Amino acid sequence: MALLHKADLTPTKIELLSGWVPSQPWFSGEADAPLENIAAYRFDDPDGEVGIETILVSAGTGPVLQVPVTYRNAPLAGADAALIGTTEHSVLGKRWVYDGAGDPVYLAAVATAALTGGRQAELQIEIDGEMVLREPTAVVAGSGAPGGPAVALPAVGEISISEAPGTTVVAAGPLRIVVARVLGDDDVLANRAPDSATHEVLAGTWTEQPSLRTLVLVGVVAD
């Protein structure tokens, strides 16, 4: 369960992403158009330390873009290349915001969801002293079988990132993760199964995408 705070962010998430997303090799859209927040979904960090959110945005008439991010209360050692920027949270203080593809906490969370049939985190926010469930704007689920052999998830190893058309490809120890960055008319994940013995997917829907759309591929390299 993800606990949301009624708080101000300076700069806002969209302002922060607006200075980073157009510079990425997978960017597609109108570079001068403001980013629009389409939908989002979250995962839980089992240790309760790192915020994990995937934000779907678009720029002008361009396609929907998928941007997984993590929020940390201190810099992540060795991850300078993945740093998007910092923001001041009126409740939590300074937050370091990272591209999820370069953060082992995001990689573990998305791999767990895909391989074990997991779903997005439930959202709770305090309103007038009461905890209230907030409906997610995107609903996702993994294709793996709950309680199946993939539950014994391998640890995230050293992260290596490469870019392919419309995707980010991550090798992290035995994990192979392909994140669809561009969610346009063409499925950039078609025929892009990771180089592994088996793989599962994370797929989801949102208001503008009522039919199930594959978002992430996750595989595990056999010993």
Side-chain angles (χ1 to χ4, degrees):
M1 179 140 341
L3 176 62
L4 306 180
H5 297 274
K6 294 180 68 175
D8 295 322
L9 287 175
T10 308
T12 66
K13 297 174 187 178
I14 289 297
E15 288 171 343
L16 198 61
L17 292 180
S18 294
W20 182 81
V21 168
S23 67
Q24 300 310 299
W26 40 262
F27 175 76
S28 180
E30 299 176 35
D32 295 332
L35 286 188
E36 178 184 357
N37 191 336
I38 303 299
Y41 60 93
R42 286 180 176 259
F43 292 124
D44 284 323
D45 171 17
D47 294 329
E49 295 293 330
V50 179
I52 310 168
E53 183 175 27
T54 296
I55 305 172
L56 305 181
V57 300
S58 64
T61 58
V64 174
L65 306 174
Q66 180 172 217
V67 189
V69 299
T70 56
Y71 308 108
R72 290 176 167 269
N73 62 8
L76 174 61
D80 289 352
L83 181 64
I84 295 173
T86 61
T87 186
E88 288 292 336
H89 190 289
S90 61
V91 175
L92 300 176
K94 189 172 184 177
R95 306 290 280 172
W96 281 258
V97 183
Y98 288 90
D99 176 17
D103 191 319
V105 172
Y106 164 77
L107 297 174
V110 74
T112 299
L115 295 171
T116 67
R119 299 176 63 85
Q120 79 281 348
E122 289 189 335
L123 307 177
Q124 273 198 341
I125 187 168
E126 183 177 349
I127 298 178
D128 296 331
E130 295 186 6
M131 300 307 297
V132 177
L133 283 176
R134 173 175 286 183
E135 290 296 321
T137 53
V139 175
V140 301
S143 61
V151 170
L153 190 73
V156 175
E158 183 177 353
I159 298 170
S160 175
I161 299 174
S162 60
E163 303 292 347
T167 66
T168 297
V169 182
V170 183
L175 290 172
R176 299 293 183 268
I177 298 172
V178 185
V179 179
R181 295 292 198 169
V182 180
L183 303 174
D185 293 335
D186 296 329
D187 185 355
V188 295
L189 294 181
N191 303 316
R192 286 299 314 275
D195 182 17
S196 59
T198 60
H199 75 275
E200 301 290 349
V201 307
L202 182 79
T205 62
W206 55 96
T207 300
E208 297 180 4
Q209 178 67 42
S211 59
L212 206 60
R213 181 67 185 259
T214 302
L215 302 171
V216 183
L217 304 178
V218 179
V220 180
V221 176
D223 294 332

